[in-house]
Amino acid sequence: MWLARGLAVVALLALPGLALGQAVPGDQPPAAAPPATPEAPPLPSRTIQSPRDAKPVAAPILTVDQDVLFAASEWGKRTQRILEEEGGKIETENERLAAQLSDEESALTQQRGTLDPAEFRRLAEAFDTRATEVRRQRAQVVQDLNAWAEADRAVFYRAALPLMGEMMQERGAVAVLDRRTVFVSMDAIDMTQDLVSRLNAELGDGAGTVPLNTPVPK
């Protein structure tokens, strides 16, 4: 049942929490790659803790963790909920279509001995064309969901930029660096959590800012 196998693979593409690159039954195992030359591991960033009662300090350089900024915000949490919900719907629909086409394939195979060879070939080609189109459509659904997620995240950062600029001015900073690229710093100069609070108050969860058009199952 090559088609059912193909749809199962489509169901795994780019869904939150699902691993890519899983083995497909019948595929040949990849050749072993030559051993890579050992490389020195990247230096980890390190944050020096400030006293619990320390207040944000005025500093020329501030830091922010971009991933945490999005994930901890109400906007990012809404986006993740939608990805999980839509991902579940896609997987369910893929499984339904895989079962449906598998049944059609079995029924067609059973008719092979009773049909004229030319008629069977015509029906088989029509089935193959339809199955290929179904796979293309399901892959497009996943691609559209990923494109929406990327657009939604990009809009979030654009909306966050003016508020980040306000906090820079308030703290007398001239630059904000991604915390993950800083080798060592005091956590007092990190503005991530304070910025999350301001974003939640000013932007909310961003619902409807980037519309998600979900296809109607056929």
Side-chain angles (χ1 to χ4, degrees), residues 79-99:
T79 300
Q80 184 60 30
R81 286 196 302 269
I82 291 176
L83 284 174
E84 292 174 356
E85 291 171 2
E86 295 301 318
K89 293 176 184 177
I90 289 173
E91 186 171 10
T92 298
E93 181 65 6
N94 283 357
E95 292 173 352
R96 184 189 71 81
L97 288 170

Side-chain angles (χ1 to χ4, degrees), residues 7-109:
L7 285 173
V9 174
V10 171
L12 294 176
L13 294 178
L15 297 182
L18 296 178
L20 301 179
Q22 295 188 7
V24 179
D27 286 352
Q28 294 296 322
T37 302
E39 296 181 358
L43 293 173
S45 61
R46 181 185 177 193
T47 303
I48 300 176
Q49 299 293 323
S50 300
R52 291 181 178 274
D53 58 350
K55 296 180 179 180
V57 298
I61 302 296
L62 299 173
T63 61
V64 64
D65 188 315
Q66 294 186 61
D67 289 341
V68 172
L69 184 68
F70 183 72
S73 69
E74 293 302 322
W75 189 313
K77 292 176 182 177
R78 173 192 56 82
T79 300
Q80 184 60 30
R81 286 196 302 269
I82 291 176
L83 284 174
E84 292 174 356
E85 291 171 2
E86 295 301 318
K89 293 176 184 177
I90 289 173
E91 186 171 10
T92 298
E93 181 65 6
N94 283 357
E95 292 173 352
R96 184 189 71 81
L97 288 170
Q100 176 182 312
L101 291 171
S102 179
D103 291 343
E104 292 179 14
E105 184 184 30
S106 297
L108 183 59
T109 300

Side-chain angles (χ1 to χ4, degrees), residues 1-7 10 97-98 100-102 104-105 108 123-139:
M1 302 298 179
W2 62 270
L3 179 62
R5 184 180 67 213
L7 285 173
V10 171
L97 288 170
Q100 176 182 312
L101 291 171
S102 179
E104 292 179 14
E105 184 184 30
L108 183 59
L123 294 175
E125 290 176 353
F127 174 81
D128 185 65
T129 298
R130 176 169 174 265
T132 299
E133 177 62 16
V134 168
R135 294 180 66 188
R136 185 198 67 78
Q137 291 176 354
R138 299 313 298 165

